[in-house]
């Protein structure tokens, strides 16, 4: 008889790094960090493994188990393990605005149709921003 395989556990982070060239936007994604050891005070995990060298990190076990997430003061805000989660976080998916709806909202907010100047300016800015993003994509 063979022994049951060891259960692998993970901590989760969010990689929202921007590519070197801003023309190639990549949406944030969830990153898994394999847990290597648990002690009463800490949870150790693999931060980075490039095949030749492995970097490990740790978090406060009581805090992450109580709150479900923890920030690391020793990591930069850009690092995927700066904010770690016990369970995979749900990321909001960016949706494209509907140009037709924005145009209709802009027309409805026009002062000649009962809107105010401020409402029309805000609606026009939303419409123009959406059009600019659509033509650059």
């Amino acid at each position: 008889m063979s022994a049951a395989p060891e259960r692998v556990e993970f901590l989760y982070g969010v990689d929202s790094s921007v590519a070197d060239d801003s023309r190639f936007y990549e949406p944030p994604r969830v990153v898994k960090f394999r847990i290597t050891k648990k002690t009463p005070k800490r949870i150790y995990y693999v931060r980075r493994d490039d095949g030749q060298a492995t970097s490990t990190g740790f978090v406060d076990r009581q805090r992450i188990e109580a709150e479900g997430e923890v920030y690391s003061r020793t990591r930069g805000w850009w690092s995927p393990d700066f904010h770690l989660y016990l369970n995979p976080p749900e990321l909001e998916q960016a949706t494209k605005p509907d140009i037709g709806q924005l145009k209709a909202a802009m027309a409805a907010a026009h002062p000649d149709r009962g809107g105010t100047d401020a409402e029309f300016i805000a609606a026009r800015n939303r419409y123009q921003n959406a059009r600019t993003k659509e033509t650059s994509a």
Side-chain angles (χ1 to χ4, degrees):
M1 285 187 168
S2 64
E6 195 173 318
R7 189 173 138 202
V8 178
E9 294 180 288
F10 297 96
L11 293 176
Y12 302 90
V14 176
D15 182 8
S16 57
S17 61
V18 178
D20 293 335
D21 190 342
S22 64
R23 293 176 296 163
F24 305 108
Y25 169 77
E26 292 185 26
R29 63 185 176 87
V30 175
V31 179
K32 294 195 287 187
F33 296 97
R34 185 174 50 85
I35 294 174
T36 57
K37 180 180 179 182
K38 285 185 176 184
T39 68
K41 290 186 177 186
R42 295 180 175 169
I43 297 176
Y44 294 87
Y45 64 96
V46 176
R47 290 190 68 222
R48 189 175 32 238
D49 186 2
D50 62 7
Q52 295 179 353
T54 302
S55 173
T56 58
F58 65 87
V59 295
D60 182 318
R61 183 175 182 171
Q62 287 87 18
R63 177 173 280 169
I64 198 165
E65 287 180 350
E67 298 174 15
E69 60 186 73
V70 67
Y71 287 93
S72 176
R73 294 182 179 166
T74 60
R75 310 281 179 256
W77 60 265
W78 57 87
S79 181
D81 63 333
F82 170 69
H83 188 184
L84 289 171
Y85 302 87
L86 201 52
N87 297 308
E90 291 189 30
L91 301 178
E92 292 182 25
Q93 298 299 323
T95 58
K96 285 188 171 184
D98 182 8
I99 300 295
Q101 287 180 345
L102 290 174
K103 188 174 183 178
M106 180 180 66
H110 195 277
D112 291 346
R113 293 192 179 177
T116 65
D117 288 339
E119 290 172 345
F120 177 71
I121 291 169
R124 185 169 189 270
N125 285 337
R126 286 191 297 271
Y127 173 72
Q128 286 182 324
N129 288 338
R131 281 195 56 201
T132 302
K133 289 177 185 175
E134 183 177 80
T135 57
S136 66

